[in-house]
Amino acid sequence: ASFYGESYVKLNIIEVLPELSLQLKFQTSKPQGLLFLAAGKNDYCIIELLSGNLRVRVNLGAGEQVLLSEQRLRVDDLNWHLVELYYVKNTISLVIDKHYETTGQITGGTHSLHFQHGIYIAGHGELDLPYLDGELPGFRGCMEGVVFNQREILASLRSYPGFKKVYEVSLGCNDEFFAGEDEAINFFSSRSYVTFPEWRVRGEGLLEFALQTGSQQALLLFQPGRQGNFVALEIVNGLLKAHVGRSKSNTQVSSLSVVSDNKWHVIQLRLTGRYLDLMVDEQGVRALLPLQSKPFVSEGPLFVGGLDN
């Protein structure tokens, strides 16, 4: 199964567990991410990726805490890795690839586990509890063979109300996790977008990319600048339309040819001190920008393919 950072699977398992066993296989190139969460009011068990290494955090309601970390092996190498976690009597064991083993002891005898909030795979959805690290992203990569206390969790990716929720998970291992820098990316839903936190245009700027789509209406690029300055590029009725905002003015230019024909097109959007140029393949259009005493400055996040909330 493929998980995309915001994906997760939740099981509403609320019974008291005297023991715990978990096996899962995963592959990823990301050094951070949540693999597994058993969430209770006080008890919890978390398996996470941190700087490319596996870490396990376990807390029992009596105040017992165990932290296991395997530093001998980085697992963000896009190879398949097998993770096994066992809690039996008063011992917690983490085993990676049948070779690397780390154990911890619970003092004060055997404790039962209370996970009132359920079991989560790859992310915690909207669950908000004090022990969840808000900076920890969801898992991005592939998983298979997830077995929790003899339950095969990913055998079906169908949601069952009141028992199982599957969110934005797809079958198989998606090729996009192995894509190089020059390979195309796919915005597969209307909620897809990419954000570059800081993008700055001062006076002049150039954006160039290739596009293939059948959409008649879509936002391609948007950069909400400061003091009324902004840059936007959208598809309107199959044509490209570029906007540049400066103070109270808004300059627009539209392409002469349709781009919503499911063919590849090379797009150039160029901003200079006096002109806004838009080129689709070899066909260009130009608009004159209003005279300004100060150079155009737009800085802030650059959104590609859509917007956040």
Side-chain angles (χ1 to χ4, degrees):
S2 295
F3 297 82
Y4 301 96
E6 296 182 356
S7 313
Y8 66 92
V9 175
K10 177 190 177 184
L11 283 183
N12 291 322
I13 298 175
I14 60 175
E15 65 259 33
V16 177
L17 303 174
E19 297 182 347
L20 181 152
S21 69
L22 173 73
Q23 300 87 39
L24 65 84
K25 291 179 67 177
F26 75 93
Q27 62 179 167
T28 185
S29 63
K30 300 299 182 182
Q32 317 278 111
L34 176 66
L35 289 174
F36 173 83
L37 166 66
K41 183 178 180 181
N42 297 305
D43 297 355
Y44 60 80
C45 176
I46 297 172
I47 304 178
E48 57 194 343
L49 285 167
L50 195 65
S51 300
N53 301 122
L54 274 177
R55 185 174 78 165
V56 176
R57 290 187 284 148
V58 178
N59 186 79
L60 300 179
E64 294 283 348
Q65 295 185 0
V66 175
L67 177 65
L68 303 179
S69 183
E70 180 52 78
Q71 303 288 334
R72 293 172 292 177
L73 176 69
R74 288 191 67 106
V75 292
D76 55 346
D77 56 2
L78 274 178
N79 291 319
W80 281 104
H81 294 283
L82 172 64
V83 178
E84 299 171 88
L85 183 70
Y86 302 100
Y87 170 58
V88 180
K89 295 183 179 179
N90 63 342
T91 301
I92 298 176
S93 303
L94 171 67
V95 185
I96 305 174
D97 295 336
K98 297 289 186 180
H99 181 69
Y100 300 92
E101 182 172 0
T102 307
T103 61
Q105 297 293 318
I106 299 290
T107 59
T110 302
H111 301 269
S112 294
L113 303 169
H114 301 256
F115 298 135
Q116 297 95 330
H117 298 293
I119 306 299
Y120 290 79
I121 305 297
H124 55 79
E126 298 179 355
L127 185 65
D128 185 16
L129 293 168
Y131 54 78
L132 292 177
D133 187 349
E135 299 299 317
L136 180 65
F139 173 76
R140 179 176 171 81
C142 303
M143 278 196 206
E144 66 180 30
V146 181
V147 180
F148 175 74
N149 282 12
Q150 287 72 57
R151 289 184 173 95
E152 172 58 73
I153 295 179
L154 300 182
S156 169
L157 295 183
R158 179 180 297 177
S159 294
Y160 296 93
F163 174 67
K164 183 177 183 180
K165 181 176 181 180
V166 179
Y167 181 75
E168 296 285 349
V169 184
S170 63
L171 286 169
C173 193
N174 199 311
D175 289 341
E176 71 178 72
F177 300 131
F178 308 92
E181 291 184 357
D182 296 328
E183 295 186 57
I185 60 174
N186 179 24
F187 296 84
F188 64 90
S189 83
S190 60
R191 296 187 298 272
S192 303
Y193 68 92
V194 176
T195 308
F196 299 90
E198 281 298 326
W199 188 71
R200 181 181 176 89
V201 175
R202 185 175 182 87
E204 298 187 0
L206 171 66
L207 271 170
E208 183 174 13
F209 59 95
L211 169 73
Q212 182 189 44
T213 184
S215 298
Q216 294 291 311
Q217 314 284 338
L219 179 65
L220 298 179
L221 303 166
F222 182 66
Q223 202 253 342
R226 299 165 185 168
Q227 299 177 341
N229 292 353
F230 71 90
V231 178
L233 182 65
E234 60 181 336
I235 302 174
V236 180
N237 297 326
L239 300 173
L240 280 184
K241 180 177 283 190
H243 307 259
V244 170
R246 301 188 66 177
S247 300
K248 296 181 180 180
S249 68
N250 182 2
T251 303
Q252 302 180 21
V253 62
S254 293
S255 66
L256 301 176
S257 57
V258 170
V259 296
S260 300
D261 55 3
N262 287 308
K263 297 179 180 179
W264 281 104
H265 299 281
V266 176
I267 313 298
Q268 281 190 348
L269 179 65
R270 184 187 298 272
L271 180 68
T272 64
R274 293 292 293 122
Y275 298 104
L276 171 63
D277 292 310
L278 176 63
M279 180 170 289
V280 178
D281 300 321
E282 300 298 323
Q283 194 173 47
V285 289
R286 167 175 284 187
L288 184 66
L289 294 172
L291 286 172
Q292 299 282 341
S293 59
K294 295 181 180 180
F296 176 84
V297 177
S298 185
E299 55 187 352
L302 173 66
F303 293 90
V304 179
L307 295 174
D308 61 10
N309 291 334

